[in-house]
Amino acid sequence: MNANPSSSTRPEADFDVIVVGGGLGGLYTLYRMRELGLTARAFEAGSGLGGTWFWNRYPGCRCDVESLEYSYSFSPELEQEWHWPDRYGTQPQILEYIEHVADRLDLRKYVALNTRVLTATFDSATTLWTITTDKGDTVSAPYIVMATGNLSTPRVPDFPGLSRFQGESYHTGLWPHEGVDFTGKRVGIIGTGSSGVQSIPYLAEQAKHLHVFQRTANFILPARNAPMDPERERRHKATYRERRKAAYDTPFGIAGYPPPSKGALEATPEERDAAYTAKWGEGGSISFLYSFTDLLLDQQANDTAADFVRARIREVVKDSRTAELLCPTDHPIGTKRLILDTNYYETFNRDNVTLVDARNTPIECITPTGIRTSETSYQFDAIVFATGFDAMTGALREIDIRAGAGAEITSKWADGPHTYLGIMMAGFPNLFMVTGPQSPGVKSQMILAIEQHVNFIAGCLGHMQSEGFARIEADQEAEDRWVQYNDTVAQATLYPKANSWYMGANIPGKPRIFMPYVGGVHTYCQLCNDIVAKGYDGFTFSAI
Ligand code: NAP
């Protein structure tokens, strides 16, 4: 194998690198590994490439990061050639882009589709990872890269009676490829996160009647989606390189939003209103959070932004009881993922849409004909579960990952994830994660985070090749420090106040730990660069 010269002592492996996942992370990993001259094979459970963008085909599915940003940056030719039709890419547009990239880089032949990885086991004596799959494959490689995604384990709550429902049921994250026609049907949708909020206006247009079961109201801002402005595209493309570079120096990995210079409480009420109104008109979430410096740090400052949004909801929604139910009150704005909408609040002015308060009248069970709450029973032809994912740790914990006695991922993460940089775990040599927990992945422009991680991993492997190392492992002490540091950073913000999937709060019994790194992309990248400059501080290399 090419990975290092000293590996002649190792038994022959099938590949140099096993990649788990055929989404944006897996494809870029394949590309970089091949560039290093390594043999690599990716395994993807879906019947096509694209990961998140393959599975989430619900009506209205669209990215909440602008399309000129939400794309790979590694190829200047690719970014110049590609035309995004809309300000925010739709799921079909993004999938088309991913497939185009795969074809252009000739990556398809390295991906085994329809193949779910079930186990991954490390043999310390041979320094090899061996995976088994649901197709009966047994495949080995010295390195394994988990590009398994953060929101890739769809979850339906364990409602009593679930299996007895006689109508149609769908999860937004497992949407049928042929689409669903709800025309003339009585439809119930459970969940008002990003997936619910994006699909509800579309379902309402088709359904005879749509009941929306909302347990927690979320803060939702206008996307202001529009066809791509040719002048904007031209300007963006003319400065793409500078913008991509500048993105690494920002908190969320997206350039072009002037950072705020003053706190909300330093501004007058008029100044605050003018700032929020301008951002509301512009559309987008980062732009809104950039209104003032302290929105995620100070509750009082945050309240000013939250009040502004609640006032807009009351302006749009005509029925005052519905408007109040839609006003979020249980968490500071921005501490759960902000949602971008098109016509969400307006949808509640339709005669065929009813909001059900699933907080005060909780869902008790699914019946053969619909949903029963503590108050009443509803009859449905179809139920849509927009109930989210076992986020950040779910996909990794679904694979039985073992690296020796006591080193099983389920026990290691029993009280929440433990990683070093979100890239490796102590006790799991030669296993890398792309945007793992305790990295800024989900709190940043995801494709930038993917590229940064995979470049870091490729850098490690390049270093090992040139130094003749066969084994890399995160130090326990470095990992403990990183976990502690993540917690300290998060606790200094308002983020842990929300019952969010960032906290594991959407899964009953999941440990409540704030999982993403929220110190900002700029700080994280600097830390990674420093670690490399210090000879991969916190990692131990060895020849075998
Ligand atoms: P989510 O944000 O976790 O929302 C799940 C929804 O289901 C919540 O409203 C939740 O209510 C509700 N729910 C769960 N269990 C329930 C129960 N037993 N009874 C009643 N309601 C229940 O999931 P998501 O909407 O799929 O979004 C997940 C993440 O994916 C987003 O935050 C975002 O990062 C990403 N995403 C992005 C886009 C985009 O780019 N535009 C689109 C879709 C998704 P509670 O809040 O009360 O738990």
Side-chain angles (χ1 to χ4, degrees):
M1 87 133 218
N2 297 319
N4 77 79
S6 68
S7 64
S8 52
T9 51
R10 231 181 221 158
E12 202 57 36
D14 296 306
F15 300 99
D16 295 329
V17 186
I18 290 168
V19 181
V20 187
L24 286 156
L27 289 174
Y28 186 59
T29 307
L30 274 181
Y31 171 69
R32 291 291 279 130
M33 296 302 111
R34 306 237 10 113
E35 264 197 340
L36 281 175
L38 302 176
T39 59
R41 177 61 45 97
F43 296 86
E44 164 57 52
S47 60
L49 302 173
T52 285
W53 300 105
F54 172 84
W55 295 104
N56 287 270
R57 294 167 187 251
Y58 60 84
C61 182
R62 197 183 273 282
C63 189
D64 57 6
V65 175
E66 295 195 38
S67 44
L68 285 163
E69 301 285 349
Y70 192 83
S71 51
Y72 288 120
S73 75
F74 66 87
S75 163
E77 295 78 32
L78 180 64
E79 68 192 7
Q80 289 298 329
E81 275 170 26
W82 192 258
H83 167 67
W84 291 101
D86 291 342
R87 180 177 176 187
Y88 299 93
T90 61
Q91 177 270 331
Q93 290 166 3
I94 298 171
L95 191 58
E96 188 189 344
Y97 167 79
I98 295 171
E99 288 179 346
H100 169 79
V101 175
D103 287 334
R104 210 186 133 122
L105 303 177
D106 201 16
L107 295 175
R108 281 186 195 271
K109 59 185 182 223
Y110 305 120
V111 187
L113 297 172
N114 293 306
T115 310
R116 186 174 286 281
V117 173
L118 302 176
T119 68
T121 312
F122 183 68
D123 180 346
S124 213
T126 57
T127 331
L128 286 182
W129 280 97
T130 300
I131 59 154
T132 59
T133 74
D134 63 353
K135 283 282 159 63
D137 312 295
T138 301
V139 181
S140 63
Y143 302 103
I144 185 163
V145 179
M146 297 294 186
T148 40
N150 282 280
L151 295 155
S152 42
T153 312
R155 171 196 165 260
V156 173
D158 196 10
F159 293 119
L162 198 56
S163 60
R164 283 183 304 155
F165 181 58
Q166 286 164 3
E168 307 156 34
S169 64
Y170 307 96
H171 188 287
T172 47
L174 294 169
W175 204 258
H177 287 205
E178 62 279 13
V180 184
D181 184 3
F182 292 104
T183 306
K185 293 186 176 154
R186 300 162 302 167
V187 182
I189 179 166
I190 304 173
T192 53
S194 300
S195 306
V197 166
Q198 286 190 329
S199 51
I200 283 164
Y202 288 83
L203 302 185
E205 274 177 20
Q206 286 190 343
K208 182 172 175 205
H209 199 98
L210 179 69
H211 281 84
V212 177
F213 291 81
Q214 172 194 271
R215 189 166 63 181
T216 311
N218 282 312
F219 287 99
I220 301 162
L221 307 176
R224 309 268 179 235
N225 183 46
M228 181 62 70
D229 171 5
E231 179 48 26
R232 187 169 178 176
E233 182 178 12
R234 192 197 60 72
R235 269 189 280 117
H236 202 105
K237 286 187 169 176
T239 53
Y240 235 143
R241 293 290 85 204
E242 296 90 304
R243 283 170 178 270
R244 298 286 201 190
K245 195 160 170 289
Y248 282 94
D249 287 327
T250 65
F252 300 110
I254 301 180
Y257 300 107
S261 55
K262 141 185 210 185
L265 303 178
E266 297 167 88
T268 64
E270 294 72 26
E271 283 173 326
R272 282 199 294 263
D273 201 54
Y276 295 140
T277 303
K279 304 291 188 162
W280 186 263
E282 232 173 77
S285 54
I286 292 178
S287 141
F288 192 83
L289 287 175
Y290 264 22
S291 300
F292 295 102
T293 52
D294 49 1
L295 295 186
L296 291 172
L297 302 174
D298 184 289
Q299 182 66 58
Q300 249 187 303
N302 189 285
D303 288 342
T304 65
D307 286 343
F308 176 88
V309 174
R310 286 188 282 259
R312 302 289 77 73
I313 297 169
R314 292 180 185 117
E315 270 171 12
V316 174
V317 180
K318 292 188 184 135
D319 176 67
S320 59
R321 183 181 164 271
T322 304
E324 282 318 302
L325 270 181
L326 288 167
C327 283
T329 50
D330 82 323
H331 61 282
I333 184 169
T335 55
K336 288 175 83 173
R337 173 84 171 200
L338 277 172
I339 300 173
L340 297 189
D341 84 307
T342 302
N343 289 332
Y344 178 68
Y345 291 120
E346 289 81 352
T347 298
F348 291 92
N349 293 333
R350 295 176 65 113
D351 292 338
N352 71 332
V353 176
T354 305
L355 184 65
V356 180
D357 180 357
R359 164 80 53 201
N360 290 312
T361 56
I363 296 172
E364 286 189 338
C365 66
I366 307 292
T367 66
T369 54
I371 293 176
R372 192 167 78 220
T373 67
S374 60
E375 189 178 52
T376 189
S377 284
Y378 299 86
Q379 312 297 310
F380 296 124
D381 302 304
I383 299 178
V384 174
F385 294 95
T387 43
F389 302 86
D390 184 353
M392 303 195 70
T393 54
L396 281 163
R397 287 176 57 110
E398 267 193 356
I399 303 171
D400 185 1
I401 305 175
R402 291 168 190 264
E408 300 105 30
I409 191 147
T410 40
S411 49
K412 180 168 177 85
W413 285 7
D415 64 349
H418 293 257
T419 77
Y420 183 37
L421 300 174
I423 293 179
M424 289 200 91
M425 293 178 282
F428 293 77
N430 292 11
L431 179 148
F432 298 93
M433 291 170 286
V434 179
T435 69
Q438 289 145 358
S439 87
V442 294
K443 292 304 302 166
S444 64
Q445 200 276 82
M446 188 48 94
I447 305 183
L448 173 144
I450 285 169
E451 288 185 326
Q452 190 269 346
H453 277 208
V454 176
N455 291 342
F456 185 94
I457 295 165
C460 275
L461 295 185
H463 175 71
M464 292 173 76
Q465 276 179 321
S466 60
E467 299 295 320
F469 293 130
R471 178 180 167 125
I472 173 174
E473 185 175 347
D475 299 342
Q476 186 63 56
E477 199 234 326
E479 179 178 281
D480 291 345
R481 258 189 290 123
W482 184 253
V483 173
Q484 181 58 50
Y485 165 64
N486 262 266
D487 193 51
T488 307
V489 172
Q491 295 306 331
T493 70
L494 300 175
Y495 281 110
K497 288 195 168 197
N499 288 323
S500 62
W501 56 258
Y502 299 142
M503 285 290 290
N506 63 324
I507 305 287
K510 191 165 173 173
R512 298 273 179 125
I513 303 274
F514 192 82
M515 293 186 283
Y517 172 71
V518 282
V521 165
H522 48 353
T523 312
Y524 178 83
C525 290
Q526 191 54 55
L527 287 166
C528 287
N529 294 342
D530 291 349
I531 284 166
V532 174
K534 286 190 209 152
Y536 289 92
D537 191 24
F539 294 98
T540 296
F541 295 93
S542 59
I544 188 80

